[in-house]
Amino acid sequence: MKDSLGKFINENREEFDSQVPPESVWNKIETALPKASKQIFWNSVTFWRAAALILFGLSAYLVVSKNYSRPNKQEIAEIQGFNDLETYYSSQISEKMDMVHRYQTSTGLTEDEITQNMKKLEAMYLVLKDEMKRRPSQDVRDALVLNLLVRIDLINQQLNKLDKPEVGKLADKKIQS
Amino acid sequence: MDYQAHHNIDSLIVRCREGDKEAYHQLYKLYSRAMYNVGYRIVNNADEAKDVLQDAFISAFNSLETYRGDAAFGAWLKRIVVNKAINLVRRRKFERMPETAGFDVKEEETVDELEGYPFTVEKVRKAIEQLPDGYRVVLSMYLLEGYDHSEIGEILGITESTSKSQFNRSKKKLKEILEGGLL
């Protein structure tokens, strides 16, 4: 069907928007603008990320500064030995985490509490590591090693759980009944 | 709208969500005229079109969190304006769209009844304003707002074929107005 009206309107579409809204409309809209900016800020991910980092940083600082003293020669030697430990444990963690991810992808499982805890521990580790660079001490070194060991332990638990899903389900059922 | 314009609108929306008043004003300035005309064509009255524009922007700005960016912002906003305007027309006893079986018959092969007519924007605009509510809404939504008949059906709560039939009738009526010297 030929449609000369439709064609005419298409060709002159912009001219059909000839009415101009009264100035007063904006004034009313302005008075009703959402006052949610504060709420949005408190709910924002950025805010909570920053808050978590400050909290971790503060905790690390309090732990470290409690027994803070300048490191002696022996401590410096121990701290240097930490780099080897870190390399070893980090490679273990990354290897085992790869296994966990592969397992989760192949079984269609999503992240659970353990993987979330892993992420929290990793964030805490970065804060402690920073502290280690700025003010190396035996306490921070111990905290870093402990963090690595706890993460390895968590991954092992996760791998065991993924390895025996049926056992886990059965145990859950028993608990429920 | 090009990529840059889309990008600018996206960044304005982000600023609005952060509570930036100037960003709200910028968005308003970008869309108010087009949206006012969309509302005006449906309600056919300057005062009501003003209310529709106001209500629609207030609703849109207060629901920006729910705008997910999967449709263009202009299309999302236009849908709010159209819904507000139609509700207003309905409140003043919008003529019920006829739902008779006759409307489901195959579309008549309509000849172009207005071929060669010396259209002007002003004449067409005035003729559309003289159409009864039910005709004007469907014709405007199809020819000017760019909705197809299935979308019009969904918005108005009628079937697609009813929208098509109503559109054909509204064009015939428009022809009578344009040719009958009723302007």
Side-chain angles (χ1 to χ4, degrees), chain A residues 48-105:
Chain A
W48 284 110
R49 264 189 206 144
L53 277 177
I54 290 166
L55 188 68
F56 280 137
L58 199 62
S59 317
Y61 173 76
L62 287 172
V63 170
V64 169
S65 64
K66 206 176 172 186
N67 297 311
Y68 177 73
S69 60
R70 284 186 80 81
N72 57 34
K73 279 182 185 170
Q74 194 195 339
E75 278 175 337
I76 291 169
E78 280 177 7
I79 290 158
Q80 280 162 351
F82 168 75
N83 291 339
D84 298 336
L85 270 178
E86 188 194 30
T87 315
Y88 173 72
Y89 285 135
S90 298
S91 73
Q92 288 255 309
I93 289 173
S94 122
E95 205 176 290
K96 284 168 188 271
M97 271 314 277
D98 275 354
M99 282 168 76
V100 172
H101 287 316
R102 274 204 301 275
Y103 218 112
Q104 282 178 332
T105 319

Side-chain angles (χ1 to χ4, degrees), chain B:
Chain B
M1 208 173 270
D2 60 18
Y3 170 78
Q4 189 59 40
H6 272 300
H7 179 73
N8 290 342
I9 287 158
D10 287 346
S11 58
L12 277 178
I13 292 167
V14 171
R15 282 171 52 202
C16 287
R17 285 172 174 157
E18 287 164 356
D20 182 342
K21 267 194 171 185
E22 184 48 35
Y24 282 116
H25 196 198
Q26 291 291 328
L27 265 188
Y28 174 78
K29 283 197 277 189
L30 274 171
Y31 288 101
S32 57
R33 183 166 175 158
M35 295 303 140
Y36 179 68
N37 281 276
V38 170
Y40 192 102
R41 283 188 281 268
I42 296 174
V43 296
N44 210 23
N45 168 311
D47 271 351
E48 289 182 331
K50 190 189 87 174
D51 291 344
V52 165
L53 186 71
Q54 214 166 271
D55 281 2
F57 267 99
I58 291 172
S59 292
F61 286 161
N62 281 283
S63 326
L64 266 188
E65 285 303 306
T66 67
Y67 169 64
R68 291 175 305 167
D70 41 7
F73 179 74
W76 180 75
L77 185 60
K78 189 194 263 191
R79 190 64 185 259
I80 296 175
V81 173
V82 167
N83 285 342
K84 297 259 178 205
I86 285 167
N87 283 342
L88 208 146
V89 175
R90 278 204 175 115
R91 280 206 294 273
R92 56 174 202 232
K93 290 181 186 161
F94 184 42
E95 302 139 61
R96 179 96 185 109
M97 301 285 181
E99 286 277 10
T100 61
F103 290 115
D104 286 325
V105 295
K106 169 172 85 149
E107 255 190 292
E108 335 149 29
E109 276 297 309
T110 337
V111 286
D112 187 357
E113 292 147 331
L114 285 164
E115 196 179 3
Y117 183 85
F119 293 115
T120 67
V121 172
E122 199 49 27
K123 268 189 195 171
V124 174
R125 208 172 57 76
K126 281 193 170 160
I128 292 174
E129 280 179 11
Q130 289 193 23
L131 287 171
D133 285 348
Y135 286 162
R136 191 187 60 256
V137 169
V138 174
L139 185 124
S140 300
M141 283 172 75
Y142 187 80
L143 286 181
L144 286 137
E145 316 315 345
Y147 292 112
D148 61 30
H149 286 297
S150 78
E151 288 169 317
I152 297 172
E154 190 200 315
I155 293 168
L156 294 177
I158 58 175
T159 65
E160 190 178 336
S161 56
T162 303
S163 171
K164 282 181 189 167
S165 310
Q166 194 78 349
F167 174 66
N168 284 333
R169 288 172 169 217
S170 61
K171 276 209 303 187
K172 278 181 189 157
K173 184 77 184 162
L174 194 78
K175 177 181 177 269
E176 281 171 30
I177 298 168
L178 283 168
E179 292 181 338
L182 298 171
L183 291 173

